[in-house]
Amino acid sequence: MTILTNKADKIDRLAELTQSSESVSGSSLWREAFRRMRSSKMAIIGAAIIAAFVVVAVVGPMLAPHGPTAQNWRAEVFPNQGKFVGMRGENWFGLDHLGRDMFSRWLVGARQTLLVGVVSMLIGLIVGATVGVLSGAAATLGGKIGKRVDTVIMRITDIMLSLPSLLLAVSIAAVLGQSLTTVMIAVGVVQIPIFARLLRGSMLVQGGADYVLAAKAVGIRRKRIVLTQILPNSLSPVIVQATLSLATAIIEAAALSYLGLGNPDPAVPEWGVMLSQAQRFFDNEPMMAAYPAIGIIITALGFTLLGEAMREALDPKLRG
């Protein structure tokens, strides 16, 4: 119950950010938020980390000095004897247990990590937003029947929120089988109740606004009010949550890969898979685990910093 309460409170608090749109005059809500973010060190650092990560993910594989799966130096490493090759001019990050260039694998693995994180977030966003719109519209303009529909949807959402996210993701991945697609689906499903409750809460906040009451008074159809008035003004916290969810998705996807539920081909570089492979040799060559771990941590930190900076910039209670 405590887990559910904490999650629900955070989501509902984020949904209340839509109230700030009524207090902004002379410029748009996002223009004001962007102005505040430009002077935020947290936002600048987060954006810089994300930009660097995206550049590495996009162009890194083309700059990789060696093939990520080529075992060109297999004869130089003896993992059973604890003999590895560390950093050197030819191999900036050293070699892994199969004689593959770690730097090349790290660069290529960044793209896989970004792909998993973005696709997972999009699955949660699209499905969760659809559920949230249906629930929010039913609660706001659906009358008694709509409120019952909203209650049923929210109870299902609360059940999903009450489960630890990683445990739910592991359970889904175990049922679907080992694959990269499975990881994306499992992590995406975990995000669905978050986006659903968040968008529904935002729509409830906007549902009592003056412009909605005015639209009802002049006889505008309910569907049009939802799609053209309430929904567009409810998206601000969803954008913030999407940024924060990318950090969560990257960490949870890496965790699933680490547990052996990710890509069944261990030769395909991905930071979570690299971390899993390195655990057996941590005592003799800890840097094999350090490189992918640092990549995961810093990338997740970048998305978290930017997301929190966006939340603070949009929150009327935190404005300077």
Side-chain angles (χ1 to χ4, degrees):
M1 179 63 80
T2 302
I3 295 176
L4 172 59
T5 302
N6 292 338
K7 285 184 178 180
D9 288 345
K10 291 180 180 179
I11 295 171
D12 293 342
R13 179 67 192 98
L14 186 57
E16 293 174 4
L17 295 185
T18 52
Q19 293 176 330
S20 62
S21 60
E22 299 179 0
S23 63
V24 176
S25 58
S27 60
S28 70
L29 172 65
W30 277 101
R31 185 177 302 172
E32 287 293 313
F34 180 71
R35 180 183 61 80
R36 287 187 291 274
M37 288 174 63
R38 284 188 302 176
S39 60
S40 170
K41 293 182 179 179
M42 183 166 61
I44 295 173
I45 294 174
I49 292 174
I50 294 172
F53 171 60
V54 172
V55 170
V56 169
V58 173
V59 306
M62 294 181 286
L63 301 177
H66 307 286
T69 61
Q71 302 179 20
N72 298 333
W73 298 273
R74 183 68 181 87
E76 297 184 35
V77 295
F78 301 91
N80 293 334
Q81 302 176 22
K83 296 181 180 179
F84 293 87
V85 176
M87 295 170 50
R88 61 184 185 182
E90 193 175 10
N91 309 107
W92 290 3
F93 286 0
L95 305 176
D96 69 359
H97 61 293
L98 296 178
R100 298 172 297 193
D101 182 59
M102 283 288 294
F103 180 65
S104 299
R105 291 181 62 78
W106 189 86
L107 289 175
V108 177
R111 176 176 292 184
Q112 292 293 317
T113 301
L114 177 62
L115 175 65
V116 172
V118 170
V119 173
S120 301
M121 183 274 294
L122 289 176
I123 292 174
L125 174 60
I126 294 172
V127 179
T130 302
V131 174
V133 169
L134 293 175
S135 182
T140 305
L141 301 173
K144 292 183 178 180
I145 297 177
K147 292 184 183 300
R148 292 176 182 174
V149 173
D150 172 60
T151 299
V152 172
I153 295 176
M154 283 299 101
R155 294 299 75 78
I156 297 174
T157 300
D158 288 343
I159 291 173
M160 295 181 67
L161 283 174
S162 67
L163 299 173
S165 58
L166 184 57
L167 177 60
L168 179 59
V170 170
S171 301
I172 296 172
V175 172
L176 296 179
Q178 183 183 15
S179 71
L180 191 62
T181 303
T182 291
V183 172
M184 296 177 184
I185 294 174
V187 176
V189 169
V190 171
Q191 306 286 343
I192 289 175
I194 297 175
F195 284 108
R197 186 181 181 98
L198 177 59
L199 187 53
R200 178 254 189 187
S202 299
M203 293 180 68
L204 290 182
V205 171
Q206 290 295 315
D210 293 339
Y211 69 87
V212 175
L213 299 177
K216 291 180 182 179
V218 298
I220 297 178
R221 295 177 59 185
R222 294 179 179 181
K223 182 178 179 180
R224 186 178 177 184
I225 294 175
V226 171
L227 295 180
T228 64
Q229 302 292 327
I230 297 178
L231 181 58
N233 288 299
S234 303
L235 294 178
S236 297
V238 176
I239 296 173
V240 175
Q241 182 59 43
T243 305
L244 294 171
S245 292
L246 273 169
T248 304
I250 289 173
I251 293 174
E252 291 181 346
L256 293 180
S257 296
Y258 179 82
L259 294 174
L261 296 171
N263 196 328
D265 185 2
V268 178
E270 194 269 325
W271 286 350
V273 174
M274 293 172 64
L275 192 59
S276 177
Q277 294 173 345
Q279 67 174 335
R280 294 180 296 162
F281 313 105
F282 187 80
D283 292 339
N284 301 111
E285 186 58 31
M287 296 308 296
M288 278 183 60
Y291 295 127
I294 291 173
I296 294 170
I297 292 170
I298 293 180
T299 302
L301 176 64
F303 284 110
T304 300
L305 290 176
L306 183 61
E308 288 296 329
M310 293 170 63
R311 183 186 65 81
E312 291 184 4
L314 290 167
D315 194 333
K317 296 182 179 180
L318 298 176
R319 292 176 186 171

